[in-house]
Amino acid sequence: MTTARWESLSALAKPTLATLFAQDEARAARYSTLFEVGAGSEILFDWSKTHLDDAHIAAFEALAQEMAFASQRGALFSGQVVNPTEGRAAEHTAQRFVGSPVAVARAREDHGRMEALVKAIHAGEHGEVRHLIHIGIGGSALGPALVVDALARKDAKLDVHVVANIDGCALEAALAKCDPATTMLAVASKTFTTIETLTNAESALAWLQAAGVANPRERVVALTAAPEKAQGWGVEEGRILSFPESVGGRYSLWSTIGFPIAAALGWDGFAALLEGAAAMDRHFRDTEGAANLPLRAAFADLYYARLRGCQTRAVFAYDERMALLPDYLQQLEMESNGKSVTAEGAPLEGPSAPITWGGVGTDAQHAVFQLLHQGTNLVPVDFIAAIAPGDALDPAHHRILLSNCFAQGAALMAGQASEDGARAYPGDRPSATILLDALTPASLGALIAFHEHRTFASAVLLGINPFDQFGVELGKAIAKRIEAGNASFDASTQALLERAKIA
Ligand code: F6P
């Protein structure tokens, strides 16, 4: 039945963007939605420059029905098992207090402990703390890094550094900016077994020790779903902020993994981030059909991946403060939906997630946009910007930034004919624009939650499980065998090991 649905979707006419706009004067308004974030602040979601039309929307809505979207979404919010390969619920929305009563109660308790610790640190009850080195990787780093960089560039309550890579150059760079006498460490790991994080944490402790700090482990806060492992590693129970197993790593910035966010912004800022995300949760939970913003975005994503053969989708933040958003979305989307089997383990009949990539505007215009305008790959693009400037310089900066953002979407769509092939722009290239009134904790929370739900909606339409990530395990296991020094490999790998003298 689903295969038939994809066949009928493929068979639909695919008018050009110019035709879609010519046929419908109201298209810009009909395919745009203003989302109320709270306190009079809105986000505009404009999907009019994509090739979605009413026929495709209707067919995708029918697909959603066939894939039991409403009941899958209900299962997500009510804490049922939605990650069957690991037998787990996925309760990140409960961290925003939208979810099953049991999960919400646990989240309130965990957040209460985090709030008390953050406020005590700010009140000086833990001595003078000026720097926080947050050590974690993947989902235990990308969210905090994004949000701190976006919202705490000015007036941060603490100087936060996020260290992920096992490459010692990463930790050294952070240590060089911190004074050991006033530095606290947050060790963030859902499993508390990740080699990169534990190795970096040991080295950071050694740095404190070498600087003469008495009892360096008392400077550590552990953020984890495995509190017993953190205790075993030497963190005292009172400084372990735990969260439930049912919060996935790449969905965890709302949990105690968000400790550095609260430390940098203050508790009210963190609470506003959660509330913005909760507003998007309620919209996603309660809105039917294509009026549901994450679901409509998933329709567009699958239209391009499945019906137009697009292997990538690009995201450009026209806002320096959101420069880390493409990195964050790469993990969210590619680790969630980069699968080739269904939730039941059967091979997928078509592509799953495209490759997510992107950068920051206007920089990217002068580097990679050539391919977007004239290359042979069709790449759907999301532009993300804020109307209110983040800087206090001449307003020309922000005006030029936004003009360029909007110009790119217009140019991709309109193209330009020329007798000279090298100077011709084919046009009819899609983009969506997400325009925030202002970048605030609430709007960023809503924006990130929008992407979480978009990823989930795509997974439901594809019939895959977005909440496991077994694809990362094989490489880890092989690296362990190399570390143990008791395995032999293919001739190429063996030669590399010998040349680097780690065999
Ligand atoms: O290796 C992938 C992964 O498991 C991610 O899913 C996760 O976010 C990251 O590693 C870090 O894991 P942990 O928080 O358990 O240290």
Side-chain angles (χ1 to χ4, degrees):
M1 181 154 118
T2 313
T3 311
R5 177 65 56 199
W6 280 111
E7 279 166 8
S8 67
L9 267 160
S10 302
L12 290 173
K14 295 184 180 60
T16 63
L17 294 171
T19 308
L20 291 171
F21 274 92
Q23 282 172 350
D24 179 4
E25 274 185 9
R27 180 171 174 85
R30 285 207 310 119
Y31 279 79
S32 296
T33 305
L34 273 175
F35 178 80
E36 170 84 44
V37 176
S41 177
E42 293 175 321
I43 304 178
L44 174 71
F45 289 86
D46 177 359
W47 251 251
S48 64
K49 293 197 205 72
T50 70
H51 292 85
L52 285 182
D53 60 7
D54 293 358
H56 281 93
I57 294 271
F60 272 115
E61 286 179 339
L63 175 69
Q65 215 159 15
E66 281 165 20
M67 299 306 291
F69 172 74
S71 74
Q72 296 266 9
R73 179 183 56 181
L76 176 76
F77 281 99
S78 61
Q80 291 168 48
V81 171
V82 288
N83 174 0
T85 51
E86 296 178 294
R88 277 187 203 151
E91 297 187 286
H92 42 285
T93 67
Q95 297 294 317
R96 283 100 73 152
F97 315 126
V98 182
S100 80
V102 174
V104 168
R106 161 85 200 260
R108 287 199 190 280
E109 205 177 298
D110 291 342
H111 282 144
R113 293 187 63 231
M114 170 161 61
E115 179 180 359
L117 181 58
V118 167
K119 287 185 169 165
I121 292 169
H122 289 158
E125 290 166 28
H126 289 257
E128 193 191 355
V129 180
R130 287 176 40 226
H131 312 280
L132 175 68
I133 302 181
H134 175 92
I135 299 173
I137 198 163
S140 293
L142 289 163
L146 163 65
V147 180
V148 168
D149 192 44
L151 300 174
R153 288 182 171 226
K154 293 176 184 165
D155 307 324
K157 290 189 183 291
L158 274 187
D159 168 42
V160 173
H161 300 270
V162 177
V163 174
N165 201 344
I166 184 66
D167 183 343
C169 296
L171 181 60
E172 271 183 359
L175 298 180
K177 292 182 194 130
C178 298
D179 167 9
T182 58
T183 298
M184 194 168 219
L185 304 178
V187 182
S189 175
K190 179 176 173 182
T191 55
F192 228 82
T193 58
T194 303
I195 181 87
E196 291 93 332
T197 299
L198 296 179
T199 307
N200 274 327
E202 291 288 358
S203 294
L205 283 173
W207 172 77
L208 288 176
Q209 182 108 47
V213 170
N215 305 321
R217 266 173 216 269
E218 288 178 8
R219 294 283 190 84
V220 175
V221 176
L223 319 171
T224 185
E228 64 303 328
K229 292 222 174 69
Q231 243 182 310
W233 186 77
V235 188
E236 187 249 311
E237 204 181 349
R239 279 177 288 101
I240 300 175
L241 297 176
S242 67
F243 62 96
E245 191 74 63
S246 59
V247 177
R250 55 191 170 276
Y251 300 86
S252 66
L253 74 88
W254 326 97
S255 72
T256 57
I257 292 289
F259 172 76
I261 301 173
L265 300 184
W267 188 258
D268 290 350
F270 187 66
L273 181 84
L274 299 183
E275 184 40 42
M280 185 57 74
D281 291 336
R282 293 188 288 268
H283 164 83
F284 182 62
R285 185 193 60 191
D286 301 336
T287 310
E288 297 312 326
N292 185 312
L293 290 163
L295 183 61
R296 183 176 65 195
F299 290 170
D301 292 343
L302 295 190
Y303 171 92
Y304 290 110
R306 284 251 164 143
L307 307 181
R308 300 291 292 261
C310 300
Q311 293 193 328
T312 81
R313 94 173 188 88
V315 184
F316 294 98
Y318 272 68
D319 193 310
E320 189 67 23
R321 297 165 295 174
M322 287 190 273
L324 297 179
L325 185 64
D327 285 7
Y328 176 84
L329 294 179
Q330 278 187 329
Q331 186 197 20
L332 177 63
E333 299 180 3
M334 293 166 71
E335 201 173 68
S336 295
N337 290 348
K339 313 275 166 72
S340 33
V341 295
T342 66
E344 289 76 37
L348 275 185
E349 284 174 14
S352 61
I355 295 156
T356 309
W357 64 284
V360 69
T362 61
D363 307 19
Q365 287 177 206
H366 301 275
V368 296
F369 274 39
Q370 164 65 37
L371 180 147
L372 298 181
H373 287 285
Q374 290 187 316
T376 51
N377 297 285
L378 183 68
V379 182
V381 177
D382 279 6
F383 294 107
I384 304 181
I387 297 172
D391 66 285
L393 300 180
D394 184 332
H397 284 270
H398 202 63
R399 200 178 55 241
I400 297 168
L401 178 73
L402 291 186
S403 305
N404 271 275
C405 176
F406 304 149
Q408 292 300 325
L412 285 166
M413 179 163 81
Q416 186 168 280
S418 168
E419 305 234 316
D420 174 356
R423 291 183 169 78
Y425 296 76
D428 197 34
R429 300 198 166 195
S431 65
T433 305
I434 302 177
L435 185 60
L436 285 58
D437 280 354
L439 181 64
T440 61
S443 66
L444 185 60
L447 181 70
I448 298 172
F450 161 80
H451 284 95
E452 288 180 347
H453 293 316
R454 173 186 193 163
T455 304
F456 172 74
S458 276
V460 171
L461 297 176
L462 290 165
I464 64 179
N465 173 5
F467 297 117
D468 64 11
Q469 60 282 322
F470 292 109
V472 302
E473 296 304 331
L474 179 59
K476 286 185 197 171
I478 293 179
K480 267 194 196 148
R481 281 164 52 203
I482 293 176
E483 268 292 283
N486 61 3
S488 63
F489 297 94
D490 61 87
S492 161
T493 308
Q494 205 60 45
L496 290 168
L497 291 169
E498 279 158 23
R499 180 157 177 81
K501 301 198 175 33
I502 59 170

